[in-house]
Amino acid sequence: MWGGVRGGGLFPPVNQRCAKVLLGLLAANLILALQTTAALSGEAVPAGLATERTDLNPKDMARVEKIVRPTTDFSKAEQFERMQGGAGTSEKRINQDAFSQSSANITFEEEGTFKLGNGMFRKLWVSSPSSTQASDGLGPLFNARACQSCHLKDGRGHPPEGGTDATSMFLRLARTAETAEEKAAIADRKVLNFPDPVYGGQFQDLAVPGFKGEGQMVISYQQFPVQLSDAKTALRWPIYSVADLGYGPMDPKTTLSPRVTPPMIGLGLVEQIHPADILANADPDDKDGDGISGKPSIVRDHKSGELTLGRFGWKASAPSIRQQSADAFAGDIGISTPDVPKHWGDCSEAQTACREMPNGVQERLGATEAPDPIMDLVTFYSQNLAVPARRDIDDPQVLRGKQMFYEAGCASCHMPKFVTRRDAPNKAQKFQLIWPYSDFLLHDMGDELGDGQQVGDATGNEWRTPPLWGIGLTKTVNGHTFFLHDGRARNLAEAILWHGGEGQASRDRFAALPAQDRDALVKFLESL
């Protein structure tokens, strides 16, 4: 638990704009909790998507409601704010390994499991056939040989800059549903979208020996001028294409969606946010008129086939860490798992030679290349990567920046805090006050950030609100400051200035701030 939560009394006064924003957030939570069923387009709410918290007794519910209220006092840090990952927060020395620490509240035995999972996460897969015992099965087409190759130091990927490779960035391939049958399949959540008929759902630039990769991603940039309150600046607008195609032309209707790998920290805590707390903030029809119309991503669980809430990935297309991991094994590395038993990875039906290549199944270990024991270890590791403790929470500039963050309306989507489920299966994630700064909903971010690619409930302009915890340590851990889904933003200020659509009003407020207040807001983000 988060510790001794004590009473708070009346909130101190703040300026009118901030008060309006915060009152709007509180009112929206109360109203939208009653609208959740309608937010699911009139269909029955799946059992896993309860619209009320059934894990809390009335006393606990009152405590939770009180502790997650948005603050209105920016004169000091909030109680427990430093421990943004709850009791599992890592307080170890900040260095390049800051995202690779285990949850501080797991047991000694679980620490051993975490380390074994780390070994599986770093495991380099090789092509088949091989003399190894359970390390073969790579590809035949792939983007990386290990999970760690994409999730560098368990942190944020980057576009290829200054001659660096594109291992931590790739292109998703898909086209829009065209026929009534295809549209029905998406509406019924049987599929997320439709891949390229030849190149599949992911563009893979690497291949096993004797085989040919699919081609190369090409990025060029144009200048995008921006006016601030006191100066002009320019963002860089990326343009994506492919070259050296190895298997003929790509379907002209196929869209290219660039994705950098997101940080791995806090995933197990996100998994244990009660669905009701996420759905309560959904407002797909913007009934409160605030310009924010987040909607949930409803997907099917691979194993059960049941409808559930998507909360992982840039478009919230995965409902669980295990499913996200299985999809990555298949799409990124070409490794089959019990959840996605495709020995050929992302090789399409048109790539017959690819599908006929040898695979790495060891019958004595199971029917897939990464059987359940491997999946269990990788999942546990991913669930228990700790969130680092906040820094400089009492710094006057940080507190000023936090106030600017709230006043600009950023907290409408980047919701500061949740309390995880009381009935979480692992004690380490149970009933924790966490500060992810996300609502885990889909939002229209405007044409400039759009990729034209539908992914389940997410349109081409919609993206899941990414959590902000740990964002200020990107430079320390990964040696760069590239942000957003494709790394186009070269710093945090540029990331804000790219916001459009539902984020346009907040972006405009940020641009209109005096330089010192913009700097303070960025300083606040850097403290997360």
Side-chain angles (χ1 to χ4, degrees):
M1 295 190 299
W2 59 78
V5 180
R6 293 187 290 273
L10 295 176
F11 293 126
V14 295
N15 67 50
Q16 290 184 344
R17 182 197 292 176
C18 189
K20 182 178 179 182
V21 170
L22 297 173
L23 287 172
L25 284 171
L26 289 169
N29 285 344
L30 293 173
I31 295 170
L32 296 175
L34 303 176
Q35 299 173 340
T36 301
T37 302
L40 298 179
S41 304
E43 66 184 63
V45 179
L49 293 181
T51 57
E52 295 182 0
R53 289 199 65 163
T54 55
D55 62 313
L56 301 178
N57 60 37
K59 182 178 179 180
D60 281 344
M61 181 66 78
R63 292 177 66 201
V64 168
E65 289 176 350
K66 189 171 190 176
I67 199 68
V68 300
R69 287 174 188 164
T71 187
T72 56
D73 181 3
F74 302 101
S75 65
K76 63 182 184 299
E78 295 176 69
Q79 193 175 20
F80 313 116
E81 189 171 8
R82 180 174 174 274
M83 303 295 284
Q84 57 183 347
T89 301
S90 171
E91 298 189 80
K92 293 190 176 181
R93 184 164 58 92
I94 296 298
N95 57 24
Q96 196 176 16
D97 294 320
F99 290 170
S100 300
Q101 306 299 332
S102 61
S103 300
N105 58 344
I106 61 175
T107 66
F108 180 78
E109 181 180 1
E110 288 174 330
E111 184 67 32
T113 304
F114 177 86
K115 290 177 179 177
L116 289 172
N118 185 20
M120 293 298 101
F121 199 77
R122 294 170 176 269
K123 178 186 179 77
L124 291 173
W125 295 84
V126 299
S127 58
S128 300
S130 170
S131 61
T132 64
Q133 295 291 307
S135 286
D136 56 332
L138 177 67
L141 295 167
F142 61 96
N143 293 103
R145 292 180 57 199
C147 305
Q148 184 76 207
S149 299
C150 290
H151 296 279
L152 306 168
K153 306 294 288 184
D154 303 298
R156 189 181 306 272
H158 58 80
E161 299 278 335
T164 59
D165 63 39
T167 303
S168 61
M169 181 178 182
F170 54 82
L171 295 172
R172 286 278 168 83
L173 311 176
R175 62 173 176 81
T176 303
E178 296 176 338
T179 67
E181 184 179 9
E182 289 178 343
K183 292 176 182 178
I186 289 182
D188 195 36
R189 278 91 176 189
K190 293 179 179 178
V191 297
L192 294 173
N193 52 28
F194 296 91
D196 184 86
V198 174
Y199 291 90
Q202 191 161 307
F203 194 61
Q204 296 167 318
D205 57 344
L206 301 175
V208 298
F211 212 65
K212 186 165 50 176
E214 292 183 324
Q216 301 297 319
M217 172 175 60
V218 178
I219 312 174
S220 60
Y221 293 99
Q222 293 181 351
Q223 294 295 299
F224 186 73
V226 170
Q227 180 66 55
L228 301 174
S229 63
D230 51 1
K232 289 184 178 180
T233 187
L235 309 178
R236 59 175 192 173
W237 190 325
I239 300 170
Y240 298 94
S241 60
V242 292
D244 303 324
L245 292 177
Y247 299 90
M250 194 174 284
D251 190 313
K253 297 177 183 176
T254 295
T255 56
L256 309 178
S257 181
R259 311 284 177 85
V260 298
T261 51
M264 299 284 294
I265 57 172
L267 297 183
L269 294 166
V270 172
E271 195 168 43
Q272 296 308 320
I273 297 173
H274 199 286
D277 285 351
I278 295 176
L279 295 172
N281 298 297
D283 185 16
D285 300 318
D286 192 21
K287 291 184 177 180
D288 62 2
D290 68 350
I292 307 298
S293 50
K295 71 181 186 185
S297 170
I298 309 302
V299 298
R300 288 199 181 273
D301 181 87
H302 278 183
K303 284 192 168 182
S304 69
E306 298 293 325
L307 290 176
T308 186
L309 181 67
R311 60 181 80 193
F312 299 106
W314 285 106
K315 298 217 174 190
S317 57
S320 68
I321 295 170
R322 185 181 175 103
Q323 184 163 315
Q324 177 85 340
S325 300
D327 289 339
F329 263 121
D332 300 349
I333 312 177
I335 295 296
S336 60
T337 64
D339 303 67
V340 184
K342 298 178 179 179
H343 308 315
W344 56 84
D346 190 48
C347 297
S348 69
E349 292 183 4
Q351 293 170 318
T352 54
C354 183
R355 290 195 170 212
E356 293 170 357
M357 293 283 285
N359 63 62
V361 175
Q362 305 281 340
E363 290 187 7
R364 65 183 180 82
L365 299 176
T368 57
E369 294 159 327
D372 278 319
I374 290 178
M375 283 299 298
D376 292 343
L377 288 170
V378 169
T379 300
F380 186 85
Y381 175 75
S382 302
Q383 288 171 331
N384 286 284
L385 283 162
V387 181
R390 283 276 307 276
R391 286 94 41 222
D392 305 321
I393 59 173
D394 293 312
D395 183 283
Q397 188 182 22
V398 168
L399 291 170
R400 175 64 177 170
K402 181 180 177 181
Q403 182 174 351
M404 295 298 98
F405 182 87
Y406 276 69
E407 289 188 3
C410 304
S412 296
C413 299
H414 291 282
M415 299 194 66
K417 43 192 168 172
F418 291 88
V419 173
T420 60
R421 301 178 69 121
R422 171 72 89 174
D423 57 358
N426 190 316
K427 185 178 179 180
Q429 285 90 41
K430 186 179 295 185
F431 207 46
Q432 299 295 317
L433 172 63
I434 62 174
W435 306 69
Y437 284 90
S438 172
D439 60 6
F440 303 99
L441 297 171
L442 298 170
H443 294 275
D444 185 332
M445 297 305 294
D447 293 339
E448 285 78 13
L449 283 182
D451 62 357
Q453 190 171 111
Q454 180 179 11
V455 181
D457 288 337
T459 69
N461 281 9
E462 289 179 328
W463 302 91
R464 181 200 70 156
T465 306
L468 297 181
W469 51 13
I471 199 168
L473 295 176
T474 303
K475 178 71 172 178
T476 300
V477 173
N478 295 119
H480 68 80
T481 56
F482 298 116
F483 299 105
L484 301 178
H485 67 280
D486 57 359
R488 70 176 66 186
R490 292 164 291 191
N491 52 57
L492 290 168
E494 286 194 2
I496 298 170
L497 292 170
W498 270 114
H499 282 50
E502 296 174 48
Q504 184 72 46
S506 293
R507 174 253 178 239
D508 291 347
R509 293 185 191 115
F510 173 77
L513 289 173
Q516 63 268 29
D517 284 344
R518 294 197 306 270
D519 291 343
L521 197 156
V522 170
K523 181 76 171 177
F524 163 68
L525 296 176
E526 290 174 343
S527 76
L528 297 179

